[in-house]
């Protein structure tokens, strides 16, 4: 047997071993998945999705939301802030109920606009290497959290303006 024949036999053996390992791993995963599905069906069959996730969120949505951001009594009658201050003065000093569902949705819309702004800024930064799908997905999730935090703490006032306009 020549050296080339030995190498061919070795690579075929490695391929057979790799195939067997792959099948073994696939079977283990399939068994684990089946067991998890059976357990889930047994344990959670009496629970509806409304009991598991907050209203307005998708199952698997790990992004921080705006529900229960404002809970104090002072938040029920708050003064506008940011860009909404000028509009509120013109509209005879209206107050904002920051605990309402309308204000929560207004903050979500403001967060959407802030996300568009942050995404535009991110596009100006060029990377030396091509990002993997996982890295870009993680960064997108990270920037979603950044925009939520910015919306809650920066006081842009866009949510206040939206609330005042819709609450008329």
């Amino acid at each position: 047997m020549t050296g080339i024949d030995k190498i061919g036999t070795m690579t075929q053996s490695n391929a057979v071993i790799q195939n067997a390992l792959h099948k073994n791993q696939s079977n283990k995963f399939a068994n684990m998945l089946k067991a998890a599905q059976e357990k889930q069906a047994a344990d959670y069959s009496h629970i509806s999705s409304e009991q598991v996730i907050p209203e307005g969120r998708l199952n698997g949505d790990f992004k921080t939301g705006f529900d229960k951001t404002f809970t104090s009594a002072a938040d029920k009658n708050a003064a506008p802030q940011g860009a909404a201050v000028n509009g509120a003065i013109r509209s005879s000093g209206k107050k904002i109920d920051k605990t309402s569902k309308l204000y929560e949705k207004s903050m979500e819309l403001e967060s959407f606009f802030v996300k568009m702004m942050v995404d535009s800024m991110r596009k100006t930064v060029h990377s030396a290497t091509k990002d993997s799908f996982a890295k870009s997905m993680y960064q997108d999730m990270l920037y979603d959290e950044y925009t939520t935090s910015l919306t809650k703490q920066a006081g842009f006032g866009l949510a206040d303006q939206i609330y005042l306009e819709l609450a008329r």
Side-chain angles (χ1 to χ4, degrees), residues 84-156:
V85 172
N86 293 336
I89 291 170
R90 284 195 307 260
S91 62
S92 69
K94 288 196 173 192
K95 298 294 183 179
I96 296 173
D97 181 7
K98 291 187 176 185
T99 60
S100 71
K101 206 65 156 157
L102 177 61
Y103 190 75
E104 181 183 324
K105 297 302 177 186
S106 299
M107 287 190 64
E108 287 179 14
L109 185 58
E110 178 181 339
S111 179
F112 176 73
F113 289 129
V114 172
K115 172 91 166 109
M116 288 172 44
M117 178 184 69
V118 169
D119 282 344
S120 295
M121 289 191 282
R122 274 180 56 198
K123 288 178 185 173
T124 64
V125 178
H126 297 287
S127 178
T129 61
K130 180 163 173 38
D131 290 343
S132 68
F133 176 74
K135 182 178 178 184
S136 63
M137 186 172 63
Y138 172 77
Q139 283 180 336
D140 195 47
M141 290 168 47
L142 177 67
Y143 279 89
D144 280 345
E145 288 299 315
Y146 286 160
T147 58
T148 301
S149 181
L150 269 171
T151 302
K152 286 180 182 178
Q153 298 172 2
F156 293 120

Side-chain angles (χ1 to χ4, degrees), residues 14 16 21 34 48-49 70 77 86 91 104 128 136 151 164 168:
N14 285 341
V16 169
L21 289 174
K34 183 178 176 184
S48 68
S49 61
F70 299 103
N77 196 19
N86 293 336
S91 62
E104 181 183 324
S136 63
T151 302
L164 289 171
R168 276 202 230 174

